[in-house]
Amino acid sequence: MPNPIYVLNGPNLNLLGKREPGIYGGQSLADIEAGCKERAKELGLSVEFRQTNHEGLLIDWVQEAGEQSAGIVLNPGAYGHTSIALHDAIRAIAPVPVIEVHLSNIHAREPFRHHSMVSSVVEGLICGFGPIGYMLALDALAQRL
Ligand code: DQA
């Protein structure tokens, strides 16, 4: 089996299920983790699934994934809109592929969500499909590996 896929989640995603369910849906992060692990198994992959509210830790994990993963599925949460450090970390681990995922369609929301600091350095971007986006990202990585 290749190195695991790191599925990394940024701030406030630990609140999924309770947080603005009209936007983010009713599934918890644990539900999404279970879905990712099931899909990964079907694809012959394994998943290392994590969440943090801290920008520096997210950067540490991207760097770790640069050494130890076959690819990253990244929902950066709000850091996707603000973090040059995250942009730089993704560039630094090239050619490890990163797929950016947002549950909501960030382009259909407030203007401050329309720009992503990471979109220009990721392999691809999936947004607006809810938890299915994570599965689509795993499918895409599986095809690419
Ligand atoms: C999000 C979208 C971001 O704008 C927001 O800050 C989040 C979640 C999403 O998954 O839709 O925390 O990344």
Side-chain angles (χ1 to χ4, degrees):
M1 206 182 265
N3 282 343
I5 304 294
Y6 274 41
V7 182
L8 301 180
N9 296 277
N12 299 307
L13 292 165
N14 54 313
L15 300 178
L16 284 181
K18 294 178 276 200
R19 174 192 182 201
E20 299 187 88
I23 295 175
Y24 298 115
Q27 283 196 35
S28 68
L29 197 61
D31 294 333
I32 294 176
E33 178 174 4
C36 283
K37 290 196 165 152
E38 202 178 302
R39 187 80 193 111
K41 206 170 161 191
E42 287 162 9
L43 294 166
L45 301 171
S46 65
V47 151
E48 175 70 25
F49 193 98
R50 298 182 190 170
Q51 187 275 333
T52 179
N53 292 324
H54 303 277
E55 184 176 3
L57 188 55
L58 196 55
I59 307 293
D60 286 344
W61 288 347
V62 169
Q63 291 185 10
E64 181 187 313
E67 301 289 329
Q68 295 177 24
S69 84
I72 304 178
V73 175
L74 174 65
N75 184 345
Y79 290 142
H81 308 302
T82 60
S83 179
I84 297 171
L86 197 51
H87 171 107
D88 285 347
I90 294 167
R91 282 170 74 148
I93 62 158
V96 174
V98 180
I99 313 254
E100 178 183 358
V101 170
H102 299 277
L103 294 153
S104 62
N105 179 355
I106 55 175
H107 299 289
R109 300 184 61 195
E110 305 95 320
F112 62 82
R113 293 184 205 276
H114 294 181
H115 183 256
S116 163
M117 295 300 303
V118 300
S119 293
S120 61
V121 287
V122 296
E123 189 81 14
L125 161 67
I126 298 165
C127 73
F129 294 103
I132 293 167
Y134 287 74
M135 314 306 150
L136 295 173
L138 288 172
D139 288 353
L141 281 175
Q143 291 276 339
R144 201 188 170 287
L145 294 174

